[in-house]
Amino acid sequence: MSTERLSTSRKDLSDSRSRTTSSSSSCGGKRDSKSKECTLNAEDGYVRMFLRGRPVTMHIPDDLRGSYSLDQKVALPDRKLKLQWVYGYRGRDCRCNLYLLPTGEIVYFNASVVVLYNVEEQQQRHYLGHNDDVKCLAIHPDMVTIATGQVAGTSKDGKALPPHVRVWDSVSLNTLHIIGMGVFDRAVTCVAFSKSNGGANLCAVDDANDHILSVWDWQKEKQLAEVKCSNDSVLGAAFHPMESNLIVTCGKSHINFWTMEGSTLTKRQGLFEKHEKPKYVLCVAFAENGDAITGDSSGNIYIWAKGGNRISHAVPGAHEGGIFSLCVLKDGTLVSGGGKDRKVVHWDHEYHKQGEVEVPEAFGPVRCLTEGKQEELFVGTTRNAILQGSFSRELTPIVQGHTDELWGLDVHPSMEQFVTCGQDKQVHLWDTTTHQPLWSKAIEDPARSAGFHPSGAVLAVGTMTGRWVVLDTETRDLVSVHTDGNEIISNVKYSPDGAYLAVASHDNFVYIYSVTDNGRKYSRVGKCSGHSSFVTHLDWSTDSQFIVTNSGDYEILYWEASSGKHITSMDAVRNLEWATSTCVLGFSVFGIWPDGADGTDLNAVCRSHDGALLASADDFGKVHLFSSPCSQPRAPSHQYGGHSSHVTNVAFLHDDSHLISTGGKDTSVLQWMLA
């Protein structure tokens, strides 16, 4: 299956049927830049490339000097990536985005991927039609057709990718219709199918200042009506289950009942009268008899009698704090999910409390509720987790993820495990077969980097504050805490023999520690000083004697590990073998740079352990796969979407069976199979 790549030039917008291009592309120069070409100095044995006009000089190993030419071509790699697993769920700022399908799969989204997850069979399928953050999700009454809406994005060549709704088949994963290209502004934040007329209509609310509510005949891709919904944020929109021309919207200080006649939408505001008027009406659901039910930021449940705009029944103070989700069960009873109190409460037909269960504090407030099989419930939370349980047994997590920007990643040296850490101050050690954390640990500072000791017994975590810590991988206990400078620690990397740890900082230095007692004792032996900008990447030589570093001003410097001494003789380093290849600047990788790149476009690169592949992470949500070595300008790559923000890091598992990639602001972790 090739991952869809979407090209949206103007001519494509009219012909939205043929929007998939192949997943292989040479990253040729789409930017209109007069970038200087690479040059070869055969006599002195170096290649020079230019980033933002700055020269970057890379030295050719002696065994290639005689035969190397800039005109040779690098082949596309034989291997390809296939998305196998998406870790995490977008609960922090999206709502109504968790449903159970008749196939037994729960459907939700993270980054630009819509996930269909069969919990019993531990299988995921993925809809990959979107090219930026998915923000909303709706299920058709046929329980097969799905609509998802996305934000406006920007493509690699600076073109706008318009927000739109995609209607697709959840069995085949085929895209059926693309709606609203060039109509929506900023993002589609709410989407819903009509229920009573066979689901023929779809409504959507965008993120324009006036939050435009529009109604569509989705099969004809034709807009039927639109209206300014509210100047304030709109948090929910739903068709009435019995009246196909009635839509209810809710949000900041409003609930509106809309009637559609022809192409006109007429509004009646909900009247709170003697009842407390909340700051936000957070969610709306419908009782079996057609009454509308709302939950609000003051913790009240209000019942609005069918067809009217007045409150017929109130349950004041149903929750302490806001009510983020309401779900009417098949038996007609109601379940509500609380924010501040993290409670999931069951109410009978007369709105008397039947029972409750609490979400453990680590997983945060309830974001979304959906009914499972028998008495089961699925609960999405604002800390990007999904839990499963019922009122008779506790809620247990089935999906977990980070909740803030994510950069730190490393793979276990010998097991199917990897570690991630992010600005949410969380460190997770993941098992790639169960796709669950083996453990999670909260640390004191936002985290930025991670590295396993070659024994696998401990791992180091670098933070945003100059502090770095060492954790025991078995017990997650704190083994050691150190501080070097007060800036971001961009890299923590042990030498291949485990005798040294290099700590690279945004204060322009690399601190070298000797490591004893199997990773439990640290003493500083050197400090590499010579960069004039922050250190971004670092690799060790296979013999653990030397370090190479990259910096924010595109310098490549070499160091003697035991002393921290800067090595200036190129003949001393040009033939060194490097244990890893994570530096984005260097002779063996410079072909990963696209034409006209600005130097910050590539965040990470990683070489497979067999030396045949390079994966790179770019600022445009793409993971690229190149052949390695990649020593010709602008090498071709397979490229893959899934992340919606900058991809911050990539790493091959110890046996090269999988690749892990991390998203920055999308906080997602993707696991790719090598096919």
Side-chain angles (χ1 to χ4, degrees):
M1 181 192 80
S2 87
T3 302
E4 271 189 81
R5 280 184 57 241
L6 300 180
S7 54
T8 46
S9 58
R10 282 286 146 217
K11 67 175 193 316
D12 280 339
L13 298 185
S14 55
D15 175 23
S16 56
R17 284 288 156 276
S18 57
R19 295 178 53 74
T20 318
T21 58
S22 112
S23 70
S24 316
S25 82
S26 119
C27 46
K30 293 206 218 28
R31 301 187 176 188
D32 184 24
S33 67
K34 307 278 181 283
S35 61
K36 292 190 188 172
E37 288 300 307
C38 292
T39 57
L40 168 64
N41 183 325
E43 193 179 328
D44 294 336
Y46 66 79
V47 172
R48 185 166 280 164
M49 69 182 270
F50 294 87
L51 285 174
R52 277 203 172 150
R54 285 178 185 248
V56 180
T57 304
M58 296 160 294
H59 297 270
I60 305 171
D62 286 333
D63 59 352
L64 296 176
R65 276 173 78 167
S67 59
Y68 180 79
S69 140
L70 280 175
D71 304 326
Q72 289 158 328
K73 287 281 170 269
V74 180
L76 270 169
D78 301 330
R79 312 284 298 275
K80 292 199 168 152
L81 297 179
K82 181 176 189 312
L83 183 60
Q84 186 195 34
W85 204 266
V86 174
Y87 294 82
Y89 150 79
R90 185 161 182 168
R92 67 190 184 284
D93 59 353
C94 292
R95 40 198 87 230
C96 302
N97 58 354
L98 176 64
Y99 297 96
L100 178 71
L101 299 176
T103 55
E105 295 167 307
I106 52 173
V107 57
Y108 56 94
F109 52 79
N110 199 14
S112 68
V113 185
V114 188
V115 182
L116 301 103
Y117 175 22
N118 188 315
V119 183
E120 277 175 30
E121 292 173 18
Q122 279 295 300
Q123 291 286 323
Q124 280 187 358
R125 297 187 302 136
H126 307 104
Y127 176 72
L128 293 162
H130 287 280
N131 54 21
D132 213 313
D133 280 308
V134 181
K135 291 290 299 244
C136 55
L137 169 75
I139 313 289
H140 190 274
D142 67 13
M143 297 305 283
V144 174
T145 311
I146 294 182
T148 40
Q150 75 162 64
V151 303
T154 315
S155 72
K156 186 171 187 167
D157 42 2
K159 284 205 189 88
L161 302 172
H164 61 276
V165 172
R166 303 179 80 84
V167 180
W168 48 281
D169 181 305
S170 62
V171 176
S172 67
L173 301 182
N174 288 339
T175 302
L176 306 172
H177 297 283
I178 294 168
I179 290 167
M181 278 286 183
V183 176
F184 298 119
D185 197 13
R186 295 189 191 141
V188 183
T189 53
C190 304
V191 66
F193 284 104
S194 59
K195 301 183 181 73
S196 58
N197 59 352
N201 294 354
L202 177 129
C203 73
V205 180
D206 73 3
D207 204 19
N209 292 344
D210 292 322
H211 300 94
I212 306 294
L213 167 68
S214 54
V215 181
W216 302 75
D217 177 331
W218 59 269
Q219 280 152 314
K220 292 186 180 148
E221 300 178 17
K222 184 169 152 250
Q223 186 173 327
L224 303 175
E226 70 164 40
V227 69
K228 293 178 178 182
C229 188
S230 168
N231 291 336
D232 294 315
S233 51
V234 177
L235 302 176
F239 279 93
H240 193 279
M242 298 158 191
E243 315 277 340
S244 62
N245 66 337
L246 188 64
I247 297 169
V248 182
T249 61
C250 65
K252 187 171 182 186
S253 63
H254 77 272
I255 173 168
N256 291 337
F257 298 86
W258 302 88
T259 310
M260 188 168 100
E261 283 164 7
S263 61
T264 315
L265 283 158
T266 329
K267 171 171 83 174
R268 282 179 307 156
Q269 289 185 324
L271 304 174
F272 289 91
E273 297 172 322
K274 64 177 196 273
H275 301 280
E276 177 189 13
K277 185 174 183 184
K279 209 178 223 170
Y280 290 89
V281 179
L282 295 170
C283 51
V284 61
F286 294 95
E288 287 176 312
N289 65 0
D291 289 353
I293 312 168
T294 58
D296 62 42
S297 52
S298 303
N300 308 315
I301 294 175
Y302 291 141
I303 319 302
W304 306 76
K306 182 189 170 193
N309 59 341
R310 289 186 151 82
I311 295 169
S312 58
H313 183 72
V315 187
H319 284 265
E320 185 192 337
I323 299 172
F324 282 165
S325 184
L326 292 169
C327 174
V328 176
L329 304 181
K330 290 188 189 74
D331 66 8
T333 60
L334 177 73
V335 178
S336 60
K340 190 175 171 190
D341 65 9
R342 301 189 316 281
K343 285 190 165 79
V344 179
V345 181
H346 191 196
W347 309 88
D348 68 14
H349 293 83
E350 278 73 53
Y351 304 103
H352 300 126
K353 194 186 275 197
Q354 291 278 91
E356 63 177 48
V357 61
E358 193 171 302
V359 175
E361 191 172 0
F363 303 115
V366 176
R367 172 60 82 200
C368 191
L369 297 164
T370 197
E371 185 173 11
K373 295 184 202 139
Q374 280 95 37
E375 295 181 346
E376 196 175 66
L377 284 175
F378 292 101
V379 183
T381 78
T382 61
R383 290 187 63 80
N384 295 349
I386 299 174
L387 297 91
Q388 184 179 18
S390 69
F391 290 107
S392 53
R393 58 187 176 87
E394 59 185 30
L395 298 167
T396 53
I398 52 171
V399 174
Q400 291 180 63
H402 283 276
T403 58
D404 202 345
E405 191 158 340
L406 181 57
W407 284 80
L409 169 70
D410 196 25
V411 294
H412 192 286
S414 59
M415 285 154 76
E416 276 63 60
Q417 295 172 12
F418 64 93
V419 65
T420 56
C421 59
Q423 292 181 20
D424 57 6
K425 308 181 184 177
Q426 294 291 321
V427 183
H428 296 297
L429 179 67
W430 301 92
D431 182 316
T432 59
T433 45
T434 64
H435 312 110
Q436 294 294 339
L438 292 159
W439 52 254
S440 303
K441 185 174 180 79
I443 57 173
E444 281 182 35
D445 304 280
R448 178 64 178 235
S449 52
F452 278 99
H453 187 271
S455 68
V458 295
L459 62 90
V461 175
T463 74
M464 312 275 286
T465 62
R467 196 190 322 226
W468 56 273
V469 301
V470 180
L471 304 174
D472 184 304
T473 51
E474 278 295 304
T475 63
R476 69 184 148 173
D477 291 342
L478 211 53
V479 172
S480 196
V481 184
H482 300 263
T483 304
D484 284 301
N486 57 4
E487 297 197 40
I488 291 171
I489 303 293
S490 57
N491 267 276
V492 280
K493 199 166 270 176
Y494 288 95
S495 59
D497 64 5
Y500 294 102
L501 173 69
V503 178
S505 170
H506 275 217
D507 67 6
N508 307 358
F509 300 121
V510 179
Y511 302 90
I512 314 263
Y513 283 77
S514 78
V515 181
T516 50
D517 198 8
N518 204 19
R520 293 181 175 273
K521 291 221 162 59
Y522 294 81
S523 56
R524 195 157 109 184
V525 292
K527 176 178 172 180
C528 307
S529 126
H531 273 297
S532 46
S533 181
F534 54 95
V535 185
T536 55
H537 302 86
L538 174 152
D539 288 303
W540 281 92
S541 62
T542 42
D543 63 8
S544 300
Q545 302 291 304
F546 300 96
I547 295 170
V548 58
T549 51
N550 290 174
S551 63
D553 57 357
Y554 326 130
E555 269 189 315
I556 306 170
L557 297 184
Y558 297 87
W559 315 88
E560 186 179 78
S562 55
S563 63
K565 194 165 125 264
H566 180 196
I567 298 167
T568 49
S569 151
M570 282 312 115
D571 291 327
V573 292
R574 74 165 76 231
N575 297 316
L576 286 175
E577 278 188 29
W578 299 99
T580 51
S581 185
T582 64
C583 284
V584 294
L585 301 172
F587 177 72
S588 64
V589 303
F590 78 90
I592 66 178
W593 287 89
D595 193 28
D598 82 345
T600 61
D601 287 351
L602 286 175
N603 297 309
V605 65
C606 177
R607 185 179 65 206
S608 60
H609 297 86
D610 67 7
L613 298 168
L614 279 176
S616 74
D618 78 14
D619 255 1
F620 308 98
K622 296 286 185 284
V623 173
H624 296 255
L625 195 64
F626 295 88
S627 296
S628 174
C630 195
S631 307
Q632 309 299 142
R634 294 185 293 283
S637 66
H638 299 303
Q639 57 166 301
Y640 302 92
H643 290 290
S644 53
S645 120
H646 46 291
V647 188
T648 51
N649 219 330
V650 280
F652 287 95
L653 282 195
H654 73 96
D655 60 358
D656 292 338
S657 59
H658 295 84
L659 177 79
I660 309 294
S661 59
T662 54
K665 293 204 165 38
D666 71 29
T667 76
S668 67
V669 179
L670 303 186
Q671 181 171 314
W672 308 82
M673 212 158 52
L674 273 118

